[in-house]
Amino acid sequence: MVSKDNKVVVVGAGLMGTGIAHAFASSGFVIDLVDTSETALEKARIAIESIIDGGVERGKISSTDAQSAKQNLSVSTNLGQSANGATLLVETVSENLAIKQAVIREADAVMADDAVIATNTSALSVTEIATAASAPENVIGMHFFNPVHKMKLVELVLGLATNEATIAATRQWCNALGKTSILVNETPGLTTSRMSAMLGNEAMWMLQEGTASAEDIDTALRMGFNHPMGPLELGDLTGWDTRLAVLRYLHSMLGEKFRPCPLIIKMVAAGRYGRKTGHGVYKYDENGKQILGSGLKGSAL
Ligand SMILES: NC(=O)c1ccc[n+]([C@@H]2O[C@H](COP(=O)([O-])OP(=O)(O)OC[C@H]3O[C@@H](n4cnc5c(N)ncnc54)[C@H](O)[C@@H]3O)[C@@H](O)[C@H]2O)c1
């Protein structure tokens, strides 16, 4: 049974670790945030305090709760010490199998036998990551979304060995954080990345074929389906270079339906990655603001 007395450790104080640590601390859990970099830890602490202070300003939490949320967080560079006696460890270090397995191997040696080890990997195999643990059945994917304090979804990813007790405990952790969890068998792209890649690719095929202008394709999804962003705007935000890499991976794993649209390949070759290069499907000014009427029109070839 998940309780506020359980010790939680989040390893990796980057973009995601910061958000995940904030989620636990502000939900009343005493948590250790661990990283090898003192700078990353300091940056994370400042960012977490700023999200908490923002919540107070907007009247979302009281200043007393904000104070205890800040007190719930400790930062450390000593994984062994932090993991000792922990009942849940969420690893969210860099997306590299060897690094993730090394973290799990070290933590596993000092954690309780029935402790849950969760990985926030986006694309690596949970089954393979789990081979670093003495009990792979206690390992599960806990895929959070950025920004964590705004996004409600957590995809729970089942490795080959993940057992029912681990699933049940992780579901409880998600509930305690106010998140909605879904269960996904380990598969390329899970549910979200796979769906999003398909939608972005199809939008590009439509643009290439001259079905409609970029603005109208995006408006169709925003107004017709209540999507907060159109698929082309979203591709510009994610970066078409990243999108292309994901599509190529899904194409190799899942077949023809994920063949990347030639227009994406052409845009990436031209360095038109999206917001980060100031030009993707749309153009952006130096402040990252979209320049109106700058989208590709109809047949873009
Ligand atoms: N960025 C996203 O939108 C997103 C979304 C979901 C999942 N993810 C996944 O979350 C994980 C982290 O992504 P991120 O964007 O936060 O990366 P990031 O680069 O911002 O942070 C990674 C952190 O891990 C630390 N680190 C590296 N090796 C370590 C070690 N041995 N011990 C302790 N700390 C170590 C680094 O110092 C760094 O602070 C990745 O697996 C990524 O695929 C990312």
Side-chain angles (χ1 to χ4, degrees):
M1 193 70 187
V2 166
S3 126
K4 299 268 153 111
D5 299 328
N6 293 150
K7 186 176 176 189
V8 179
V9 186
V10 174
V11 191
L15 181 70
M16 296 305 290
T18 299
I20 297 166
H22 164 265
F24 279 103
S26 62
S27 304
F29 293 96
V30 173
I31 119 133
D32 273 14
L33 176 60
V34 178
D35 203 291
T36 44
S37 157
E38 297 269 7
T39 317
L41 288 170
E42 191 45 31
K43 209 172 140 207
R45 182 196 278 286
I46 293 168
I48 290 168
E49 294 196 348
S50 140
I51 303 172
I52 294 172
D53 291 340
V56 176
E57 275 160 32
R58 288 195 313 281
K60 298 257 181 208
I61 58 167
S62 70
S63 45
T64 319
D65 287 349
Q67 198 52 37
S68 55
K70 288 179 190 176
Q71 280 165 1
N72 282 340
L73 175 76
S74 302
V75 298
S76 167
T77 53
N78 190 331
L79 175 60
Q81 205 172 59
S82 291
N84 197 0
T87 43
L88 173 69
L89 176 136
V90 182
E91 83 67 24
T92 182
V93 299
S94 318
E95 186 77 343
N96 175 299
L97 180 66
I99 297 177
K100 287 183 184 298
Q101 288 189 321
V103 163
I104 289 174
R105 224 168 270 125
E106 186 181 344
D108 184 65
V110 292
M111 291 175 73
D113 287 347
D114 59 349
V116 170
I117 296 178
T119 169
N120 184 38
T121 182
S122 303
L124 296 171
S125 159
V126 173
T127 303
E128 203 171 358
I129 291 172
T131 59
S134 52
E137 59 272 24
N138 296 352
V139 180
I140 190 166
M142 213 175 174
H143 186 225
F144 287 86
F145 290 79
N146 180 41
V148 179
H149 66 288
K150 291 198 177 144
M151 305 302 279
K152 290 267 180 218
L153 182 68
V154 179
E155 279 180 305
L156 299 182
V157 186
L158 310 184
L160 197 57
T162 311
N163 69 11
E164 288 300 327
T166 302
I167 298 170
T170 315
R171 281 239 194 235
Q172 283 184 34
W173 288 107
C174 290
N175 290 343
L177 299 182
K179 304 289 184 200
T180 300
S181 56
I182 61 166
L183 286 186
V184 187
N185 277 310
E186 182 180 316
T187 176
L190 304 177
T191 54
T192 48
S193 304
R194 178 166 162 179
M195 197 75 86
S196 179
M198 171 64 82
L199 208 55
N201 202 34
E202 193 58 27
M204 278 301 220
W205 280 109
M206 284 165 64
L207 191 60
Q208 178 178 296
E209 289 160 14
T211 307
S213 69
E215 287 89 345
D216 283 357
I217 293 170
D218 278 339
T219 301
L221 275 286
R222 272 193 274 103
M223 299 298 158
F225 292 152
N226 259 352
H227 287 201
M229 282 183 120
L232 301 171
E233 295 169 301
L234 185 58
D236 270 9
L237 184 66
T238 309
W240 290 102
D241 52 335
T242 308
R243 267 289 146 96
L244 181 58
V246 172
L247 278 166
R248 283 187 165 141
Y249 171 64
L250 294 177
H251 184 218
S252 72
M253 300 298 288
L254 302 172
E256 260 323 281
K257 60 187 173 179
F258 285 99
R259 176 179 291 283
C261 169
L263 181 53
I264 302 178
I265 298 171
K266 201 177 282 188
M267 279 181 42
V268 171
R272 285 173 60 168
Y273 296 169
R275 282 178 184 267
K276 60 186 167 189
T277 56
H279 198 181
V281 171
Y282 300 99
K283 279 189 184 150
Y284 300 88
D285 66 19
E286 59 282 0
N287 300 317
K289 203 168 171 333
Q290 192 182 313
I291 299 165
L292 286 177
S294 67
L296 295 176
K297 293 279 177 216
S299 176
L301 295 176

